[in-house]
Amino acid sequence: MARALSSGPKAVTHNLLSGTLQVLKDQAPRIGTPDPTEPVAFFLNGALELSTGSLRPICPADRNTRTLSVNYDPAAIAPRFSAWVAEIFSNEPARIALAQEIFGWTFCRASLGLHKAVLLIGPQRAGKGVLLAILEALHGGAPGAAAFTLGELDNPKVLSSLARAHVGIDSDAVGPAPRNARAVLGLFKRITAGESVDIPQLYQQHALSAPIPTKLFFACNSAPTLWDDSAAAAHRFVPLVFDQSFIGREDPTLVQRLQGNSRALPRGRSKAGNALPRVADSSCRNLPSMNWPPWRLPTAAWLSLSIRY
């Protein structure tokens, strides 16, 4: 095989392709599993070690397949975004800190001991979609951020897309149908707990069994119904409550203005600036605190009271 590939141009034949694929399959186990669940956030300008707060070059040993769409800049500020967040959470400013921690939590593949999903809950036109649009842009869109629906969580294609993503976003969450409610509930619990999930593979006899380290986000006007008699699934949610509606005051250019550019996000920019919220700095440095159980966070008072079923 080596002689065949090194002796000049070759016609693309079935045997050549099959032989090359077999070599890659033989070597893949030696490379290791891609995107390991380590407490490291990968930016365009380097890898941020969450344990030390230091930025270092990205190296092949990281086995990282994607980065966030921005550079890491501790001096970055976002006054426009900060003003908007202060407006939508004006009734409870503590929610700003929680939203910041949630954003930072998504920047690495590790769960940091927090086996949760995020529930953005509140009335229409409250800012949930805008916040999710910025989160999606930070992760570079697909496949870093995968769109899905809770009711189709048992679909193999959905599981495959989530397995490759940093965040999974259901922008209009509703409970699953009775026909697959139990299957969806079981998968939701296993994914949020970091347990192995069987993912059927195309053209493969056996399913891939592995954890899906994707952070799940659900946006809704009221909490989706999950068929769980024990209520354990409800405790898997960290709710971020929106209590103001801006119906009649919508700004169709809001997302573009918050990002600070007419395009999605400027990939080569040296500073985050107005193009994104300041989670690229302070949230990442605060990430180790996310391994606290959510009921011990400073926002515990409203966390236990604000969600409605």
Side-chain angles (χ1 to χ4, degrees), residues 244-256:
Q244 300 184 68
S245 176
F246 295 87
I247 290 180
R249 294 179 288 165
E250 298 93 335
D251 181 358
T253 66
L254 180 60
V255 174
Q256 291 181 353

Side-chain angles (χ1 to χ4, degrees), residues 99-117:
Q100 189 180 47
E101 285 195 356
I102 287 171
F103 264 56
W105 177 54
T106 70
F107 285 1
C108 70
R109 298 284 283 178
S111 70
L112 303 178
L114 188 65
H115 298 152
K116 301 289 181 179

Side-chain angles (χ1 to χ4, degrees), residues 17-296:
L17 292 175
S18 298
T20 303
L21 180 60
Q22 188 58 50
V23 170
L24 293 175
K25 286 182 177 180
D26 292 340
Q27 296 298 319
R30 302 183 184 181
I31 299 174
T33 303
D35 296 316
T37 54
E38 300 292 337
V40 181
F42 294 96
F43 293 86
L44 291 177
N45 60 335
L48 182 66
E49 294 281 356
L50 302 185
S51 58
T52 62
S54 61
L55 189 72
R56 60 168 176 79
I58 299 174
C59 62
D62 291 320
R63 305 195 303 277
N64 183 58
T65 63
R66 71 178 61 88
T67 64
L68 295 165
S69 63
V70 295
N71 289 318
Y72 175 72
D73 179 14
I77 59 174
R80 185 179 297 167
F81 179 84
S82 298
W84 174 74
V85 172
E87 180 182 9
I88 64 174
F89 293 133
S90 60
N91 293 335
E92 179 53 81
R95 299 176 196 175
I96 299 174
L98 178 62
Q100 189 180 47
E101 285 195 356
I102 287 171
F103 264 56
W105 177 54
T106 70
F107 285 1
C108 70
R109 298 284 283 178
S111 70
L112 303 178
L114 188 65
H115 298 152
K116 301 289 181 179
V118 179
L119 186 69
L120 279 62
I121 185 169
Q124 296 179 357
R125 301 294 188 269
K128 304 185 295 295
V130 174
L131 206 60
L132 289 177
I134 294 175
L135 178 66
E136 182 178 357
L138 280 169
H139 287 275
F148 79 106
T149 58
L150 178 61
E152 295 182 350
L153 195 58
D154 59 339
N155 186 320
K157 292 182 179 180
V158 171
L159 293 175
S160 294
S161 66
L162 288 177
R164 298 191 300 269
H166 282 184
V167 294
I169 298 175
D170 184 348
S171 58
D172 189 14
V174 295
R179 59 176 176 79
N180 67 336
R182 297 296 180 186
V184 167
L185 174 63
L187 286 166
F188 172 78
K189 288 182 177 179
R190 296 185 73 85
I191 292 172
T192 53
E195 299 175 357
S196 292
V197 174
D198 290 336
I199 307 174
Q201 304 290 294
L202 287 175
Y203 313 117
Q204 299 291 327
Q205 185 175 3
H206 302 290
L208 173 66
S209 182
I212 297 179
T214 306
K215 279 78 173 183
L216 301 182
F217 280 70
F218 301 91
C220 54
N221 303 129
S222 58
T225 301
L226 291 174
W227 296 53
D228 185 12
D229 297 335
S230 68
H235 290 88
R236 293 289 174 89
F237 288 109
V238 172
L240 181 59
V241 180
F242 296 71
D243 56 10
Q244 300 184 68
S245 176
F246 295 87
I247 290 180
R249 294 179 288 165
E250 298 93 335
D251 181 358
T253 66
L254 180 60
V255 174
Q256 291 181 353
R257 290 192 298 106
L258 291 179
Q259 292 175 350
N261 195 284
S262 60
R263 296 182 294 275
L265 276 175
R267 292 186 60 87
R269 194 165 180 166
S270 60
K271 282 192 175 183
N274 290 334
L276 57 119
R278 197 181 174 178
V279 295
D281 170 32
S282 55
S283 284
C284 280
R285 288 192 283 106
N286 291 337
L287 264 175
S289 67
M290 287 296 289
N291 60 12
W292 297 349
W295 52 87
R296 295 183 187 173

